[in-house]
Amino acid sequence: MALKALVRKNLSVFFFLGCIIQLSAQQSDSLSHQFLMNIEIRPRAEYTSNYVLSPNDSIDPYFYITQRNRISMQYSRKKWFIKSDLQEIHLWDQNNEFSKVGSINFYQLFVETRLKSFNIRLGRQSVLLDNGRLFSDAPWAQQGRAHEGIRIMKSATYFSNDFFFLFTRNYNQEFEPTYSPVASNKYKYLFVNNFSYNSNKYFSFNSLNAIDFLEDVSSGALYTRATTGGRIEFKKKQWYYTLNSYVQFGRNQKGQKLFAYYFQPEIKLSLLKSTWRLGAEIISGSSSNLSSDNSGDFDVLYGVTWKFNGNMNVFTRFPNDVKGKGLVNPYLFTVIPVSSKLSLRSDFHLFYTQYPLLNNLGQETTKFLGFENDISLKYTPVKELEINYAFSFYKSTDTMKYLPKIQDENKLALWSYLMVSYSFNAVNSKHYKH
């Protein structure tokens, strides 16, 4: 029944895509075409202790297994192609005697043109822009992240320029929203422009501008929020320098007047047997001096947090996970390739609030929240198989008792996972007409 409901929800999309394909096919019958089918099986076991990570909110320690089964298909001709990624998320945990389906959904379902001047992508699609800080396809999450709408793409030798017109709608409620690729999107409408320039030598530049329209669930009011900024990169021999910065203004989902900012300076040194990245993230928050009608809370939009703020995702929902006080996160990342198939990585984070939290007596607490260390291994024995293992721990300060993630601030919070990804091409069929 759930699968039938899913298909009914997408009938209008299929019909529209079919019309476009039919029109294109009339012009390209004499051209070659290709059908590709890829199958991916990705189970992952996770263990948590002393901190809250969805889907666990009460049991400690907690062990559970998720698995993503994805069938990706692409049919292409000279001037267009259509792509679909149908996935099923399966769950096993100690709250259920048997396994259950977390979600059956399309991760992607779109049609795209292949023209010389510009191209259009229409439908549900993943969006990865720049380094993934504000817009990411969330590859580590089993469900991934996708958006629905239109993408207009223009590219040349040194630059690319993309426009997005995206929206959300009432999605299928048969499955858990946690495992939907689109249910976490907060906007009603979203407009994005992403411009990138790359000199192919020492300098590159990315500009990102987004306007999202946010709906107040209680009142139904629609508020407008803008995010603008970009990132510059310089490369010289083994050295790499970058600065990522954005400002955010307008009104947030609560209707508060918003002015917030984000900075990320970083320097990277690439040696023969290791890579070192030293940097910091500054995500602005709200001072206690601000009135209730104003906010300084920067929202990281639709990017990923584990890549920047630690694998444990202690701080992932802004501003909730820091109670609107902002986050300052100095970090040091080290990658050591042990062999062509095995690599070792260590990520070290320090965490501070930008403004102090208040204790139960209304007194200011220390800004230092603790530190996290993530150690991970990536092993690729063959092209189709990838094995990832990670172990992370978070050492809290007393201030963490006022935030919602650590259960006992006097103990280490632990998280570990083992993930196996097996992906192979089941069909790769090419046809030519002479």
Side-chain angles (χ1 to χ4, degrees):
M1 292 297 293
L3 185 57
K4 290 181 180 179
L6 174 66
V7 173
R8 287 198 299 269
K9 284 280 187 180
N10 289 279
L11 276 178
S12 59
V13 177
F14 277 115
F15 177 76
F16 193 60
L17 296 180
C19 292
I20 293 177
I21 292 170
Q22 182 63 33
L23 289 173
S24 300
Q26 294 174 2
Q27 301 175 359
S28 58
D29 283 343
S30 61
L31 303 175
S32 63
H33 56 278
Q34 179 183 13
F35 177 73
L36 179 66
M37 177 187 290
N38 179 272
I39 296 177
E40 181 195 39
I41 301 171
R42 195 172 86 165
R44 181 168 72 223
E46 297 182 59
Y47 171 85
T48 69
S49 176
N50 193 39
Y51 91 108
V52 177
L53 179 67
S54 179
N56 171 34
D57 58 2
S58 59
I59 300 173
D60 185 58
Y62 188 68
F63 175 82
Y64 62 102
I65 299 173
T66 60
Q67 178 170 317
R68 180 173 80 194
N69 305 302
R70 180 181 288 179
I71 301 176
S72 300
M73 293 177 287
Q74 180 172 310
Y75 179 75
S76 59
R77 300 186 77 96
K78 183 177 180 180
K79 293 186 177 181
W80 58 266
F81 71 92
I82 183 170
K83 181 174 177 58
S84 70
D85 298 318
L86 179 63
Q87 65 185 18
E88 185 251 357
I89 312 297
H90 219 77
L91 312 175
W92 293 268
D93 66 58
Q94 57 195 36
N95 289 329
N96 298 280
E97 295 182 3
F98 303 101
S99 65
K100 66 175 182 178
V101 176
S103 175
I104 300 177
N105 218 316
F106 281 101
Y107 169 55
Q108 294 192 105
L109 179 62
F110 66 81
V111 63
E112 182 178 322
T113 62
R114 286 177 167 174
L115 307 174
K116 291 182 179 180
S117 54
F118 68 94
N119 289 292
I120 298 175
R121 181 180 295 178
L122 174 64
R124 179 177 292 187
Q125 54 195 276
S126 64
V127 177
L128 172 62
L129 301 179
D130 191 34
N131 63 353
R133 193 58 185 105
L134 297 188
F135 287 89
S136 172
D137 50 1
W140 191 86
Q142 295 286 44
Q143 69 277 7
R145 173 177 282 138
H147 304 261
E148 294 186 341
I150 301 174
R151 179 176 186 173
I152 302 173
M153 299 167 282
K154 171 72 175 178
S155 61
T157 304
Y158 297 108
F159 76 89
S160 64
N161 197 17
D162 293 358
F163 290 91
F164 298 82
F165 305 93
L166 308 172
F167 64 90
T168 58
R169 54 190 174 88
N170 293 324
Y171 296 108
N172 195 323
Q173 299 298 316
E174 296 289 336
F175 302 109
E176 296 184 23
T178 303
Y179 296 101
S180 166
V182 290
S184 62
N185 296 334
K186 295 166 285 189
Y187 57 85
K188 189 173 181 66
Y189 305 103
L190 174 62
F191 303 110
V192 183
N193 171 238
N194 185 70
F195 176 83
S196 297
Y197 171 81
N198 192 336
S199 66
N200 292 330
K201 291 185 178 180
Y202 308 115
F203 172 76
S204 61
F205 168 77
N206 186 84
S207 171
L208 195 155
N209 301 280
I211 299 175
D212 46 359
F213 297 85
L214 307 169
E215 186 175 19
D216 188 319
V217 178
S218 58
S219 67
L222 203 62
Y223 299 110
T224 305
R225 179 180 65 185
T227 306
T228 182
R231 188 162 69 96
I232 56 175
E233 297 175 291
F234 294 95
K235 303 174 184 177
K236 189 172 182 181
K237 296 182 180 180
Q238 72 269 37
W239 293 97
Y240 166 90
Y241 312 88
T242 186
L243 175 64
N244 203 4
S245 61
Y246 294 95
V247 293
Q248 204 167 68
F249 54 91
R251 292 191 179 272
N252 61 19
Q253 203 163 5
K254 297 178 181 178
Q256 296 172 306
K257 189 175 181 180
L258 175 67
F259 183 79
Y261 56 87
Y262 168 91
F263 291 105
Q264 183 207 10
E266 182 181 292
I267 183 172
K268 180 171 72 173
L269 174 62
S270 298
L271 303 175
L272 288 176
K273 296 185 178 181
S274 63
T275 301
W276 301 78
R277 292 171 53 193
L278 177 65
E281 273 207 326
I282 302 171
I283 302 173
S284 73
S286 296
S287 166
S288 56
N289 297 325
L290 277 179
S291 67
S292 59
D293 295 330
N294 291 269
S295 173
D297 300 330
F298 188 89
D299 188 334
V300 294
L301 298 185
Y302 311 101
V304 291
T305 52
W306 61 265
K307 183 178 177 181
F308 301 89
N309 301 132
N311 287 358
M312 294 181 70
N313 275 341
V314 176
F315 307 104
T316 182
R317 297 170 301 172
F318 294 95
N320 292 344
D321 284 349
V322 289
K323 288 191 175 179
K325 296 304 181 182
L327 184 70
V328 179
N329 169 209
Y331 59 81
L332 175 64
F333 299 163
T334 307
V335 179
I336 301 174
V338 180
S339 68
S340 60
K341 298 181 179 181
L342 178 65
S343 63
L344 170 66
R345 174 167 176 159
S346 173
D347 295 0
F348 185 81
H349 299 264
L350 297 173
F351 295 106
Y352 302 80
T353 55
Q354 183 187 23
Y355 300 104
L357 293 162
L358 301 180
N359 62 20
N360 297 331
L361 300 176
Q363 301 168 330
E364 292 185 351
T365 62
T366 176
K367 295 180 182 179
F368 183 45
L369 301 175
F371 65 88
E372 177 180 335
N373 190 206
D374 308 316
I375 300 172
S376 57
L377 290 169
K378 180 179 178 181
Y379 179 52
T380 311
V382 293
K383 181 181 178 181
E384 296 81 8
L385 181 64
E386 181 178 296
I387 301 171
N388 288 272
Y389 171 76
F391 175 81
S392 303
F393 67 90
Y394 186 95
K395 181 65 178 73
S396 305
T397 65
D398 290 341
T399 303
M400 284 299 293
K401 71 174 66 174
Y402 305 108
L403 294 177
K405 284 298 186 80
I406 304 300
Q407 297 178 357
D408 186 344
E409 68 280 1
N410 296 314
K411 298 179 180 179
L412 280 178
L414 303 176
W415 174 76
S416 184
Y417 82 90
L418 175 64
M419 181 170 71
V420 178
S421 177
Y422 180 58
S423 175
F424 63 95
N425 288 333
V427 180
N428 188 359
S429 176
K430 296 181 181 180
H431 297 275
Y432 300 91
K433 286 192 176 182
H434 301 284

